[in-house]
Amino acid sequence: MMSMCATAAFAQFTVKGKVLDEFGETIIGANIVEKGTTNGTITDMEGNYTLSISNSQRTVLQFSFIGYNTKEETVNGRNSIDVTLDPSVVNLGEVVAIGYGTQTRREITGSVANITEESFNKGVTRDAADLLQGKVAGLMINMGTGDVGGEPTIRLRGTSTIQKDKGPFIVIDGVPGGDMSTVSPQDIESISVLKDASSAAIYGSRSAGGVILITTKRGSGSKTQVSYDGYVAMSNIAKKPDLLTADEWREYVRKTEQDGSVYDQYGADTDWVDEITRTAISHNHAVSMSGGGSKNNYRASFTYLNREGVLRDNAMERYNFRFQFQQRAINDRLRIGLTGSTTLTDRDNFRGGNFVLAYNMLPVYPVKLADGSWFDTREYDQGNPVRNQDYNKDHFKNQYFFGNGDISFTIIDGLDVKANLYKSRHTEERSRYENSQTQAGRDNNGWAERRNRIWDKELMELTANYNTAFGGQEEHKLDVMGGYSWERNDYTHVQVANRDFVTDMLASDNLQAGQGLRPKDVESARNMNKLISFFGRAHYSYKERYMITATLRRDGSSKFGANHKWGTFPSASAAWGISQEDFMQDINWVSDLKLRVGYGVTGNQDGLDPYKSLELYGSDGTYYDNNAWLTAYKIKQNANADLKWEETSMLNVGLDFTLFNGRLNGTIEWYDKQTKDMLYEYNVPTPPYLHNKMMANVGDMKNTGLELAFTVDAVRTKDFNWTTSLNMAYNKNEITRLSNDIYTADRILIGDAWIRGGSANTTHVLETGYPLGQFYGWKCLGLDAEGHYIMQDMTGEGQISEEDRTYIGSAYPDVTFGWNNTFSYKNWDMSIFLRGSIGNDVLNHMRMAYAQPGYLIGANALNDPLIYQLKQVPEYSSYYIEDASFARLDNMSIGYTFNTKKLDWLDRARVYVTAQNLFVITGYSGLDPEVDFSRSDGSAPGVQDREFYPKNRTFSVGVSLSF
């Protein structure tokens, strides 16, 4: 009898059924999950499912599929449950990550955008930023270079600081402070963007730039599933610089009546840009295995990416390994999870100076002479860039390891406590050598460098969450969360360089062989910072009609000054579910209508390095004592006990709507974002200070904007579907204060636009009343008959001076937009995505440097009318500031999914072709209107450098398989 009772107690109940769409057709791959667990399965090729559950009466099954509303069914002892899913562009029951928890879309009171896998950008992608680019209103992701290892600039609702704006705070699977490169795009399930301060304040002093939450895929289901996704891609330069060809150079020599014989003695016709670039081949392979049962789930994945840059010395090879396991016990009250990840990256970094050489080297010079030896020249900014690429190396090796363990326990129904422990180590090794025979290394007779950096992170978080429903019909819902966080970050680095090598054979592997060691060639450093936090959130809702959320976080950071070690970051938001009101029940064309209002305070400490609040000594020359030369030290940094975080407050008002039975849905939002106590290094008098510069919190800045996002389910039939989505964002930035009674800097000139033969000039200004990214220089009205600039005399004094410089453009756009269209016809699918910006200006520094006759015919130039017209050294002015508004066909993909019903070993098979950066519509004359925004720590953006790495046009062919 005891045996029979034990058997009955642990027996599991099996439910079977079929999942259908609105046309009565079976849905392949629909998800069926036991609510509150990861126990689940998917429908087979006939739309059937089988699932073992733990409770035959109370278990609730959730049925979901992309493009359809999630449906819940209580088992109530039934062995068979068939369901029909209703189509919906927006699933109001969709669970969205919000930071230390989740909420359904209907319950969210803050501004949260959620992008799921089916909406990600297709093609060659490296990380979450590539998947998100252009998809979220107000989120600007800028990749201003073709470098395969380059880091994007990310800004959410404008730039919030003038000091090292790092963009949104990254959280991966609940672990704060993550690195996007550690997660393969194929492992990402969804990405949430916390846009307003009421949503982001739960992360306190690090969330002023917003928060991006990355949720990775988890295993589920009683069936083991093996998946493979791979592609091969080919890339070329999207737009080459139009330099003079050999024939055009000779024609220029003839027209200008010069003698080019000293240069044109090799009979060569060389396209130097072609010589340093290539057709780049890349490939990616991702394999995963997942599964589980009613008590556990697991997923393991391996991704290999090999990506060549179009520049011959630029490449990246990356290995990602990730595993996740979760076990439940004690009647599902205890849950233990383990996650581990390893990312290994090898990267060949390009030398930007090779572009300068390729632009300057004459097309009548050969790469190699007739005897096979390298051609070279020692003319200024010239040299053989091909030999540079072949002989010089700049190699990075990155290793990123982390382990994460979490334990949660349900003390009573609705009350969960959780402990999360995390440890990571990130190491970077750089090995660099400039060969003595090359242009880069000849002056040093060979130059070598080795560098090693290590970042260690330890994290412990303890949280408790209580949720309950009460009232006669459980119309009242309450969810309360509280937590504690302890974090330590350590950083060390060592760097050694040497020069003057007898041989180039050993490169950077034998630094001691160099004969030119100098005092500053050897350096090392270490720093550490800690963060301790207490945080909490409470959410209340009544009939999903009235909802309110309040959060509070208190951070204590070792970075802050003695008088401001702790900061408090509160927020509150409320939502009114208008469509849930009784007076809306007869309005059938309104499916959902919700008004949201939120206000919160967040902080930024990224611009503050450790120990900036302390008085520090540093080396300063040498002195002679006791028959020896010794290193001298002096105060190199003033103490500032009042140093603290930057503070950003934001008011957000939003309207969410779903109309016409889900055929049209969208969001309209307005925000007012105010930043105060911005960090900047100010000049101070000596005395009373011992050092002439000092970091202080002084400046203020504001961003105001309007965002619009909507999706239209334009056509939905049995065989053909078309969905179109558009997002647009307007943002206005303004610096409102830079000075106070102690620290004064009403106007700060920054940036540079240096060219050969010209004087150095700043390009931008930081000034009260003007936006970040404000170009500042002379206003040019054109060229006169003698080929000289006509500069506008702003002061009316009859001569052009520094006082005549004025405001000549703004780098940041007024409006950004993204437009996506997806189509499906039977087994075919297609997506077309365009994105762009309006109102942004770019300094065409490349034209300024190379569209001039000053060094023709001894150096090459752009094939530009200016080489005949300009008769003076180029000067920075509005002449080279151009409107860079653009619309880019960023992504186009076509795929076909095979019918695998007759194959019992293959669940799904899809092949696809993707094209990226097909064309750009713009009036900008340079190589690309989208340029780097990180110059001068982001305070002098919008410049197409003379070393600009052109972007690529990429075509890829791939296959996705599930077994």
Side-chain angles (χ1 to χ4, degrees):
M1 291 178 62
M2 291 176 62
S3 176
M4 291 174 62
C5 290
T7 302
F10 289 97
Q12 290 191 332
F13 192 76
T14 300
V15 181
K16 299 180 180 180
K18 187 183 290 286
V19 180
L20 306 173
D21 64 15
E22 72 273 31
F23 303 109
E25 299 289 330
T26 58
I27 296 180
I28 303 168
N31 293 292
I32 302 94
V33 178
E34 183 179 349
K35 187 175 181 179
T37 75
T38 55
N39 177 39
T41 187
I42 61 174
T43 54
D44 60 19
M45 302 306 298
E46 304 294 335
N48 297 315
Y49 71 92
T50 301
L51 181 65
S52 297
I53 58 176
S54 57
N55 190 301
S56 62
Q57 297 296 323
R58 292 181 298 173
T59 293
V60 176
L61 297 182
Q62 291 179 319
F63 299 83
S64 63
F65 189 68
I66 297 169
Y68 290 84
N69 287 328
T70 295
K71 195 167 188 177
E72 294 186 354
E73 291 280 349
T74 303
V75 175
N76 287 332
R78 292 179 289 173
N79 297 94
S80 178
I81 301 177
D82 295 339
V83 299
T84 299
L85 298 183
D86 298 320
S88 176
V89 176
V90 167
N91 179 6
L92 299 175
E94 176 188 12
V95 177
V96 176
I98 58 169
Y100 296 104
T102 59
Q103 283 183 334
T104 63
R105 183 178 292 277
R106 191 187 291 274
E107 293 176 320
I108 291 174
T109 58
S111 180
V112 181
N114 188 59
I115 307 298
T116 53
E117 186 178 10
E118 67 271 13
S119 299
F120 290 161
N121 287 322
K122 308 298 190 295
V124 179
T125 54
R126 298 174 308 163
D127 54 31
D130 290 342
L131 301 179
L132 274 180
Q133 191 172 31
K135 296 293 186 177
V136 177
L139 181 68
M140 187 189 78
I141 299 177
N142 169 269
M143 179 58 74
T145 173
D147 178 14
V148 297
E151 295 294 330
T153 300
I154 307 177
R155 298 287 183 267
L156 180 60
R157 293 184 166 180
T159 300
S160 302
T161 178
I162 58 176
Q163 178 76 18
K164 298 181 181 178
D165 192 334
K166 299 295 182 63
F169 186 58
I170 308 300
V171 179
I172 302 173
D173 285 337
V175 177
D179 187 327
M180 285 187 180
S181 67
T182 64
V183 185
S184 165
Q186 288 76 20
D187 287 335
I188 298 176
E189 182 177 84
S190 65
I191 304 172
S192 292
V193 182
L194 311 186
K195 301 168 70 173
D196 69 332
S198 66
S199 301
I202 195 68
Y203 290 103
S205 62
R206 297 176 291 181
S207 58
V211 180
I212 294 178
L213 305 174
I214 299 172
T215 301
T216 62
K217 297 175 181 177
R218 302 277 169 159
S220 65
S222 55
K223 176 186 175 182
T224 299
Q225 185 174 63
V226 177
S227 299
Y228 168 80
D229 194 310
Y231 60 78
V232 177
M234 179 182 69
S235 302
N236 290 102
I237 288 181
K239 183 179 180 181
K240 283 177 56 180
D242 186 15
L243 295 162
L244 293 175
T245 65
D247 288 341
E248 289 168 343
W249 179 85
R250 293 181 180 112
E251 178 64 15
Y252 181 87
V253 171
R254 187 189 64 79
K255 283 185 176 181
T256 55
E257 298 179 348
Q258 300 183 65
D259 182 8
S261 59
V262 66
Y263 307 109
D264 193 9
Q265 53 182 302
Y266 306 98
D269 184 357
T270 304
D271 186 323
W272 286 100
V273 174
D274 278 350
E275 293 294 336
I276 66 171
T277 58
R278 62 186 171 189
T279 296
I281 305 298
S282 303
H283 54 103
N284 185 91
H285 309 277
V287 180
S288 67
M289 180 174 65
S290 63
S294 61
K295 297 292 183 182
N296 57 64
N297 66 286
Y298 66 89
R299 186 177 188 273
S301 65
F302 174 76
T303 304
Y304 172 72
L305 171 64
N306 188 311
R307 189 175 181 189
E308 291 183 345
V310 293
L311 204 60
R312 292 172 60 247
D313 57 346
N314 183 216
M316 181 177 70
E317 189 176 35
R318 188 176 69 192
Y319 303 82
N320 283 99
F321 173 74
R322 189 178 190 88
F323 79 88
Q324 166 271 326
F325 174 78
Q326 187 180 74
Q327 178 69 48
R328 293 182 298 282
I330 315 178
N331 296 326
D332 288 345
R333 288 186 179 275
L334 177 65
R335 294 170 296 280
I336 301 175
L338 295 173
T339 303
S341 176
T342 299
T343 303
L344 304 175
T345 305
D346 288 342
R347 176 166 59 93
D348 290 320
N349 195 37
F350 72 98
R351 182 182 176 87
N354 286 333
F355 282 115
V356 176
L357 305 184
Y359 300 154
N360 278 308
M361 288 286 281
L362 291 177
V364 294
Y365 287 159
V367 177
K368 288 187 176 182
L369 299 172
D371 61 2
S373 62
W374 292 99
F375 172 83
D376 216 337
T377 174
R378 285 183 171 265
E379 291 295 322
Y380 186 83
D381 266 355
Q382 295 192 45
N384 195 321
V386 182
R387 182 160 69 170
N388 269 2
Q389 291 179 323
D390 284 359
Y391 285 13
N392 299 329
K393 302 298 178 186
D394 189 1
H395 189 70
F396 286 80
K397 287 187 176 182
N398 287 71
Q399 299 90 35
Y400 204 121
F401 306 94
F402 81 77
N404 186 44
D406 60 87
I407 302 174
S408 61
F409 188 79
T410 302
I411 299 176
I412 59 174
D413 288 347
L415 177 59
D416 294 327
V417 293
K418 183 178 180 180
N420 190 40
L421 301 175
Y422 174 89
K423 169 67 177 179
S424 69
R425 174 163 294 173
H426 176 202
T427 66
E428 179 188 86
E429 178 187 337
R430 183 181 190 183
S431 175
R432 182 178 175 190
Y433 188 70
E434 295 178 351
N435 193 288
S436 63
Q437 300 179 52
T438 66
Q439 176 270 342
R442 62 195 177 198
D443 291 340
N444 285 314
N445 195 32
W447 182 86
E449 178 191 50
R450 297 298 292 263
R451 185 181 72 188
N452 185 268
R453 300 197 289 176
I454 302 175
W455 296 263
D456 278 318
K457 179 175 181 176
E458 298 173 0
L459 173 71
M460 178 186 71
E461 290 191 322
L462 306 174
T463 57
N465 190 91
Y466 178 71
N467 64 81
T468 186
F470 53 94
Q473 298 178 340
E474 296 189 340
E475 63 270 24
H476 300 275
K477 292 182 181 180
L478 179 66
D479 193 326
V480 180
M481 183 274 297
Y484 166 80
S485 178
W486 177 92
E487 181 179 326
R488 173 177 172 137
N489 294 278
D490 289 87
Y491 168 77
T492 61
H493 101 265
V494 61
Q495 182 172 321
V496 183
N498 208 343
R499 59 190 55 72
D500 195 9
F501 289 86
V502 176
T503 176
D504 294 304
M505 292 180 60
L506 300 176
S508 59
D509 296 324
N510 193 15
L511 290 177
Q512 64 270 27
Q515 305 298 309
L517 188 68
R518 299 174 185 173
K520 292 186 178 181
D521 285 338
V522 180
E523 65 176 62
S524 63
R526 178 181 182 273
N527 65 53
M528 181 274 293
N529 69 87
K530 291 181 180 179
L531 181 71
I532 297 175
S533 307
F534 300 89
F535 51 88
R537 175 176 58 224
H539 174 79
Y540 167 78
S541 68
Y542 173 70
K543 291 185 176 181
E544 295 184 336
R545 184 182 301 172
Y546 310 114
M547 293 155 281
I548 185 168
T549 305
T551 68
L552 181 67
R553 183 167 179 130
R554 186 158 172 80
D555 281 346
S557 174
S558 63
K559 289 184 176 182
F560 303 152
N563 297 336
H564 295 282
K565 287 295 185 186
W566 290 87
T568 303
F569 305 93
S571 79
S573 57
W576 176 26
I578 303 173
S579 57
Q580 305 302 308
E581 295 284 1
D582 293 338
F583 61 80
M584 293 290 294
Q585 300 311 305
D586 294 331
I587 306 178
N588 297 325
W589 57 275
V590 177
S591 304
D592 188 68
L593 186 63
K594 181 172 67 176
L595 178 66
R596 296 180 282 104
V597 179
Y599 178 83
V601 178
T602 55
N604 171 41
Q605 57 167 299
D606 283 337
L608 192 61
D609 294 329
Y611 317 135
K612 278 293 185 180
S613 65
L614 305 177
E615 184 178 85
L616 299 180
Y617 284 83
S619 60
D620 186 60
T622 59
Y623 67 97
Y624 188 79
D625 183 51
N626 198 22
N627 298 319
W629 286 100
L630 304 176
T631 301
Y633 287 85
K634 73 173 186 179
I635 297 295
K636 282 295 187 76
Q637 179 177 289
N638 297 311
N640 186 351
D642 292 322
L643 212 57
K644 62 179 183 177
W645 59 95
E646 300 176 339
E647 186 174 287
T648 297
S649 59
M650 188 188 303
L651 174 64
N652 189 91
V653 180
L655 181 68
D656 303 327
F657 55 89
T658 302
L659 311 176
F660 310 115
N661 197 28
R663 300 295 291 267
L664 169 64
N665 73 85
T667 297
I668 301 173
E669 299 203 66
W670 170 87
Y671 61 87
D672 185 352
K673 178 179 174 183
Q674 305 277 345
T675 300
K676 68 176 184 178
D677 299 327
M678 286 193 301
L679 292 160
Y680 199 75
E681 192 170 55
Y682 288 83
N683 294 321
V684 292
T686 55
Y689 296 100
L690 297 177
H691 185 62
N692 63 350
K693 291 185 179 294
M694 190 165 182
M695 183 73 74
N697 297 91
V698 177
D700 295 345
M701 179 188 291
K702 69 176 181 179
N703 287 272
T704 54
L706 185 68
E707 296 170 354
L708 168 66
F710 66 86
T711 300
V712 180
D713 197 12
V715 178
R716 181 180 287 275
T717 66
K718 182 178 180 180
D719 292 329
F720 178 72
N721 297 292
W722 170 32
T723 301
T724 183
S725 302
L726 176 67
N727 72 79
M728 301 183 70
Y730 163 80
N731 183 78
K732 181 181 180 182
N733 174 276
E734 182 184 345
I735 298 171
T736 55
R737 185 169 70 108
L738 281 175
S739 301
N740 61 17
D741 295 337
I742 302 174
Y743 308 102
T744 304
D746 285 332
R747 174 180 289 177
I748 303 172
L749 300 177
I750 54 175
D752 67 272
W754 179 88
I755 62 165
R756 179 186 177 189
S759 58
N761 282 308
T762 57
T763 56
H764 295 69
V765 65
L766 301 177
E767 185 174 356
T768 301
Y770 292 91
L772 192 70
Q774 176 69 59
F775 288 108
Y776 188 77
W778 290 281
K779 186 175 182 180
C780 183
L781 305 179
L783 299 178
D784 62 21
E786 286 73 37
H788 294 88
Y789 298 108
I790 306 173
M791 300 297 188
Q792 185 169 349
D793 183 3
M794 303 297 295
T795 62
E797 295 178 349
Q799 61 181 0
I800 303 301
S801 65
E802 285 290 320
E803 284 68 33
D804 292 304
R805 299 180 75 187
T806 187
Y807 313 99
I808 56 176
S810 180
Y812 281 101
D814 298 321
V815 176
T816 57
F817 64 87
W819 182 29
N820 190 55
N821 288 273
T822 59
F823 307 88
S824 65
Y825 176 71
K826 294 185 177 180
N827 289 18
W828 291 92
D829 62 84
M830 183 172 73
S831 64
I832 301 174
F833 178 59
L834 294 97
R835 64 177 180 86
S837 64
I838 301 172
N840 52 300
D841 296 316
V842 166
L843 167 58
N844 194 340
H845 192 199
M846 186 175 173
R847 187 181 188 221
M848 182 176 162
Y850 303 119
Q852 58 150 320
Y855 300 98
L856 274 168
I857 55 175
N860 204 11
L862 290 172
N863 187 12
D864 187 289
L866 284 178
I867 63 174
Y868 293 97
Q869 300 168 356
L870 190 63
K871 303 301 181 183
Q872 69 174 96
V873 175
E875 292 186 19
Y876 168 64
S877 69
S878 65
Y879 193 88
Y880 298 99
I881 303 291
E882 301 183 37
D883 180 3
S885 303
F886 72 94
R888 185 191 306 273
L889 181 53
D890 207 44
N891 198 292
M892 181 175 178
S893 181
I894 301 175
Y896 182 82
T897 301
F898 292 93
N899 187 341
T900 59
K901 290 184 177 181
K902 296 182 180 180
L903 300 175
D904 58 357
W905 56 273
L906 183 62
D907 290 340
R908 185 173 184 268
R910 178 178 180 267
V911 295
Y912 57 89
V913 178
T914 301
Q916 294 171 268
N917 193 22
L918 277 174
F919 62 78
V920 181
I921 301 173
T922 182
Y924 178 64
S925 65
L927 296 182
D928 198 288
E930 194 173 16
V931 297
D932 184 21
F933 272 73
S934 63
R935 286 170 57 99
S936 300
D937 288 332
S939 56
V943 179
Q944 183 190 292
D945 287 303
R946 67 191 195 111
E947 300 179 1
F948 182 75
Y949 188 156
K951 294 183 181 178
N952 313 328
R953 180 173 293 115
T954 301
F955 298 90
S956 56
V957 179
V959 59
S960 297
L961 304 172
S962 295
F963 305 92

